[in-house]
Amino acid sequence: MGIDIQLSLSHISNESIEKFVKTLDIGCVCQIPDVPGVTRTITGLVFMIMDLHLRLPHLCQQLVWFHGNANHFVFQFSDDGAPETSQLSMSIGSVTFWNLGERVRSREYQYLLHCVSLAEKHEALQSLWHQHTQEMLLLEPSVFTVSGKECTIEFQPSADMSWQSWACNEVNQAATYPSPYANVHKGNMCLMGGSIGQSDVDLWKPYTMTEREKHPGMVDTYLASLPKSLSSPTVHSKKLAFTADNGIRQLGKPRIGIFADWVKPDPLHCEINAWQHILDLLYSESLLRCCFEKFIETLSAPIGPSDQNSLIEESSENHATPKRAVDLIGEGVDSALESTGTDVINRSSAEEEIGVSCQNSSLSPDMLRHSTVLELSKDAASDNMTAMLETSRFASSNNLSNCVHGCGLAFLSTKVREHYADEAKRSNKLSVRLIGAQAIALARYSYRIVDSLQTANETEGEKLRQLALGKIVQYLRNAGGLFNNVYVNIPGEISQLNDFCTLYFNLLVLFFPHSVNETVWTVAYALPYHAKQLYEKYGVGYGMLSLQAKESKHAGLKGELSMTNRSRSTDKNGKWWQLMRSNYIRSFYLPEHHASFSALIELTF
C-alpha cells in the first residue's frame, strides 16, 4: 500500500523481557512434593478456561452447547506417558472440553494439568489423580457464576485405552475377561448377534461402580479362606482362577472413582489396531498361498495416478476419511451376514448388487471401488455364500494396465520383509506397529492387497476367503469413515455404523474365527454401543473422543522441552515450570491480548 512499517524490539533489553515473563501471573502452579514435576488444580484450570472463553466474544460465539443446555461445559481429562528422552520418562496430564466442537481436535486446545518426570502408572500419580478426582466430584453438582453467567460442569475420562486400565485399577487385556467395557470373556468373544446393555436380552453387561467396589472384597475374602500353608505361586494361581471364574477385573478401587463408569474406547487407536489386525491377517493369508512376493510388492508399490484419489477427502486434522456419499452401502444390510446362526452358509441370503458396473462406466476399477454405491436387493437370493460374495465384489484392479498400483507403504514393507526373513518367527504376528498415516493408507488401498492374494490354482476355500477379506476391509473402512466424525450429519448414521461393524465382525467370525481378538470385538460391539450413547446424550459423533489432538500436543511438548535452558533441572525454576509458563502464554495470554490475530499464536512459537 506504499507504507513502510517496521517493528523493532532492539530497544527492549533481554533483562526486561525476562522480568516480564517471570512476573506474568500464570495462575496457581504447584511443585508436587517429593516428585520432579508441577501441577495445577482441576478447579483453577477449569475456571481459567471457562473465564477465557466466556469473557472474549470471539471465543464465546464459537462454543457448542449440547441439546440447548447453555453454559454447561463438558471437560475431558487425561494422562499420557511417553519417553522424554532415551533415559527419562514423562507423564503429561491435560484437560480439554467438548464445547469446542471440531476444535477439540486441535492441539492448541489441550490445556496442561500436570507435568511429571515419571511414567504415567507410577505410584506417585495415584495420589495426584486422587486429588484431581475429589475436586471433580465437588465441582460437578454445583452451579458457578463465571463472567456473569451461571455455569455447570461435567467431567468425562479420556478414551486412552492404555491409561484406562491403570485409572480404573483393573487387570490388563491378557485376562480371561479382557475388556473394560463389558464382561465379555474369551469363551464368548466370537458369538454373533450379541449386544451390550443392562437388559436381560443383552449378552454382555457393562461394569458398574457397584461391581467395581464389590469385586476386590470378594477376592480378599477368598484369599483369606485359603490355607496359610500354601506357597505364594499356588496362592497367585488360585487367585487368577477365582477372578476368571467370577468375571472379576478389579484389582482395587478405581483411581478415578465413579468416572471409571464412563470410560469408552478411543476411535483413533481402535482404527489403528483394527488395521494392524487386518495387515496381520493379509500377511498370514499370503504365506498360506505362497504369494508373499506379490503381497509385499503391492504393499510397497506407489499409490498410482492422482485422479484415482479424487474421491477421497482430506481432513484438516491429518485424518482422511472416504466421502460418505460414495462409500456408504445403501439403506439395507446383508441379512445373511447379520444372522447369528452358524448355518448361514447353507441358507438363502440377501444379495448385494452393484449399482454401477465397470462395463457401463468410464471410471477406472480403482475409482469404482470408491464410488460404487451398493443397494440391497430384497428379491435376489443366493444358495451359496461364494456366489453372494462374488456378486458384491468390486471390479478387480487386475484388469488395469500392466503398471502395479499399491498402498505406497514402502517403509512398512521393509519392516515386513525383515520379519519374513527370520524363518523362526516367520509365522508369528508381524513385529511392526502401525502409525495413523499407515492405517489410513491401508483403509484406502488394502483391497489391492486382497487382489494380490488371488492365485491361478486357488481352491474354492481360498477363493471364498479372498472374497470375504475384500468385504471385511470394505466394511471396516466404511465404519472408520463414520466413527471418526465429530458430528453426525446423516439421519440413521449411528445405525449404519452398527451395521458396518456387525458385518465386519460376522465375516471374521465365519471365515477367520481364530483371528478374532479383543480389538475385533471392541470395534464390533463396544464402539457402536458407546457411539449410540454419546449421540443420544450429546448429539455428537464418536470422533469427539479422538486422541489425535492429545497425541499431537504431547509430541510437541518434547520439542519445547529441548529448547528450555533447564531441561535437567526439577526445582522451582526447572523445565516443567518453564513449560507451564510458555503454554500459559500460548493458551491464555495470546488468545486474550491478540484476539484478532489467531495466526500469531502459531507463528510466535
Side-chain angles (χ1 to χ4, degrees):
M1 298 176 63
I3 301 174
D4 184 14
I5 299 177
Q6 182 177 2
L7 177 65
S8 174
L9 299 177
S10 59
H11 301 297
I12 303 177
S13 67
N14 290 335
E15 183 180 355
S16 298
I17 296 175
E18 183 77 5
K19 182 178 179 180
F20 167 74
V21 170
K22 286 186 176 181
T23 58
L24 188 66
D25 182 10
I26 66 172
C28 181
V29 178
C30 308
Q31 182 75 35
I32 303 174
D34 303 320
V35 172
V38 296
T39 182
R40 292 186 184 273
T41 62
I42 283 281
T43 304
L45 181 57
V46 162
F47 278 94
M48 285 170 59
I49 295 171
M50 291 166 55
D51 176 69
L52 177 71
H53 285 81
L54 291 177
R55 186 159 39 86
L56 302 182
H58 78 285
L59 292 178
C60 186
Q61 292 169 3
Q62 299 181 68
L63 294 179
V64 176
W65 309 117
F66 305 112
H67 294 312
N69 192 4
N71 303 322
H72 177 71
F73 289 85
V74 183
F75 286 93
Q76 178 175 292
F77 58 91
S78 64
D79 208 339
D80 186 36
E84 179 188 337
T85 65
S86 58
Q87 294 84 25
L88 297 175
S89 295
M90 65 178 183
S91 181
I92 307 295
S94 58
V95 168
T96 187
F97 60 117
W98 294 354
N99 307 80
L100 293 166
E102 291 278 1
R103 294 177 297 158
V104 76
R105 300 176 111 174
S106 170
R107 66 192 294 179
E108 295 302 328
Y109 296 96
Q110 308 294 312
Y111 300 90
L112 294 185
L113 177 60
H114 62 246
C115 306
V116 188
S117 296
L118 298 171
E120 66 176 2
K121 300 176 183 179
H122 192 278
E123 183 178 329
L125 272 295
Q126 181 167 335
S127 59
L128 190 59
W129 273 109
H130 176 74
Q131 175 189 325
H132 293 331
T133 301
Q134 293 304 309
E135 287 187 76
M136 290 187 284
L137 291 174
L138 291 173
L139 292 174
E140 276 205 331
S142 305
V143 178
F144 304 94
T145 300
V146 181
S147 296
K149 299 179 181 179
E150 290 188 346
C151 304
T152 52
I153 304 172
E154 177 184 343
F155 292 96
Q156 290 283 339
S158 162
D160 189 324
M161 294 184 286
S162 174
W163 178 69
Q164 283 174 0
S165 293
W166 178 87
C168 295
N169 203 3
E170 297 177 333
V171 296
N172 60 35
Q173 296 178 352
T176 303
Y177 286 80
S179 176
Y181 312 114
N183 60 342
V184 61
H185 62 79
K186 295 181 178 179
N188 64 12
M189 191 178 289
C190 287
L191 291 181
M192 296 188 290
S195 60
I196 302 174
Q198 296 290 2
S199 67
D200 294 336
V201 298
D202 294 310
L203 176 61
W204 300 294
K205 304 292 190 294
Y207 294 101
T208 64
M209 194 62 187
T210 302
E211 294 172 316
R212 294 178 189 276
E213 293 178 339
K214 174 185 175 182
H215 286 171
M218 292 173 58
V219 176
D220 291 341
T221 302
Y222 172 74
L223 293 178
S225 68
L226 295 176
K228 304 298 183 183
S229 59
L230 295 178
S231 63
S232 295
T234 302
V235 171
H236 181 69
S237 178
K238 287 184 175 293
K239 176 184 175 181
L240 293 180
F242 178 79
T243 56
D245 292 341
N246 291 274
I248 295 176
R249 287 179 50 82
Q250 289 299 134
L251 298 173
K253 290 184 178 181
R255 295 181 172 97
I256 56 173
I258 64 172
F259 298 105
D261 280 358
W262 316 126
V263 295
K264 301 173 180 65
D266 165 43
L268 174 66
H269 289 101
C270 274
E271 185 173 30
I272 293 175
N273 293 341
W275 285 108
Q276 173 79 60
H277 176 258
I278 291 296
L279 181 63
D280 278 321
L281 195 57
L282 293 172
Y283 168 75
S284 298
E285 196 68 15
S286 73
L287 297 184
L288 292 174
R289 296 163 180 263
C290 300
C291 59
F292 172 78
E293 290 302 326
K294 288 175 61 179
F295 163 83
I296 205 71
E297 179 185 14
T298 308
L299 183 66
S300 60
I303 291 172
S306 59
D307 64 338
Q308 294 182 356
N309 306 325
S310 60
L311 296 174
I312 294 292
E313 287 182 324
E314 293 290 347
S315 166
S316 61
E317 295 298 334
N318 298 325
H319 185 86
T321 52
K323 279 189 176 178
R324 193 176 296 104
V326 299
D327 265 334
L328 295 184
I329 298 181
E331 303 251 339
V333 294
D334 211 321
S335 62
L337 300 180
E338 282 188 312
S339 169
T340 59
T342 56
D343 61 339
V344 65
I345 296 180
N346 299 320
R347 295 191 294 104
S348 296
S349 59
E351 186 177 278
E352 292 177 340
E353 294 182 342
I354 296 181
V356 182
S357 68
C358 182
Q359 292 81 5
N360 298 328
S361 172
S362 60
L363 297 176
S364 70
D366 273 358
M367 293 180 70
L368 274 173
R369 288 181 186 264
H370 294 302
S371 62
T372 300
V373 178
L374 299 181
E375 297 178 352
L376 182 69
S377 174
K378 295 182 180 179
D379 298 327
S382 172
D383 294 328
N384 188 291
M385 178 65 80
T386 306
M388 183 279 296
L389 291 171
E390 186 94 64
T391 304
S392 63
R393 188 184 189 188
F394 284 101
S396 173
S397 60
N398 293 336
N399 296 328
L400 295 173
S401 58
N402 292 331
C403 59
V404 176
H405 298 319
C407 301
L409 296 172
F411 175 78
L412 181 62
S413 67
T414 302
K415 299 297 182 181
V416 174
R417 187 176 287 279
E418 291 175 359
H419 176 89
Y420 177 81
D422 188 344
E423 294 187 9
K425 300 180 180 180
R426 179 176 295 176
S427 298
N428 298 347
K429 287 186 176 181
L430 290 173
S431 54
V432 297
R433 184 177 179 182
L434 296 185
I435 60 175
Q438 294 167 341
I440 293 169
L442 284 174
R444 290 179 176 183
Y445 305 113
S446 57
Y447 62 82
R448 295 174 175 174
I449 301 179
V450 176
D451 285 348
S452 73
L453 298 177
Q454 186 174 4
T455 58
N457 300 317
E458 63 183 2
T459 64
E460 285 299 316
E462 290 175 332
K463 181 179 181 181
L464 185 58
R465 289 202 308 273
Q466 187 208 9
L467 295 173
L469 280 169
K471 299 302 292 182
I472 287 168
V473 299
Q474 178 191 350
Y475 290 133
L476 179 57
R477 182 199 64 183
N478 290 345
L482 292 178
F483 66 66
N484 281 291
N485 292 333
V486 173
Y487 292 113
V488 176
N489 300 316
I490 296 178
E493 192 170 283
I494 298 298
S495 177
Q496 289 175 327
L497 171 62
N498 184 72
D499 292 340
F500 291 140
C501 292
T502 298
L503 293 168
Y504 153 79
F505 178 79
N506 288 355
L507 280 170
L508 280 168
V509 170
L510 287 170
F511 296 100
F512 307 94
H514 297 296
S515 72
V516 176
N517 57 15
E518 192 203 353
T519 293
V520 174
W521 182 89
T522 300
V523 171
Y525 289 109
L527 197 148
Y529 168 74
H530 288 289
K532 183 179 179 181
Q533 282 191 328
L534 196 66
Y535 175 71
E536 290 177 347
K537 187 173 182 179
Y538 302 100
V540 298
Y542 202 71
M544 183 69 77
L545 298 174
S546 177
L547 294 179
Q548 67 179 40
K550 190 191 78 166
E551 299 279 358
S552 176
K553 173 74 172 183
H554 295 176
L557 292 180
K558 291 185 180 182
E560 293 183 31
L561 282 172
S562 66
M563 293 188 294
T564 66
N565 60 358
R566 300 183 180 93
S567 61
R568 295 282 178 176
S569 176
T570 57
D571 60 14
K572 190 170 182 178
N573 296 316
K575 59 184 177 183
W576 295 125
W577 288 85
Q578 289 184 326
L579 193 66
M580 279 287 195
R581 184 176 289 112
S582 66
N583 272 270
Y584 171 84
I585 294 173
R586 174 190 286 112
S587 299
F588 294 97
Y589 185 86
L590 286 176
E592 179 175 359
H593 296 279
H594 300 278
S596 301
F597 304 95
S598 58
L600 183 61
I601 300 176
E602 188 69 29
L603 294 174
T604 304
F605 293 89

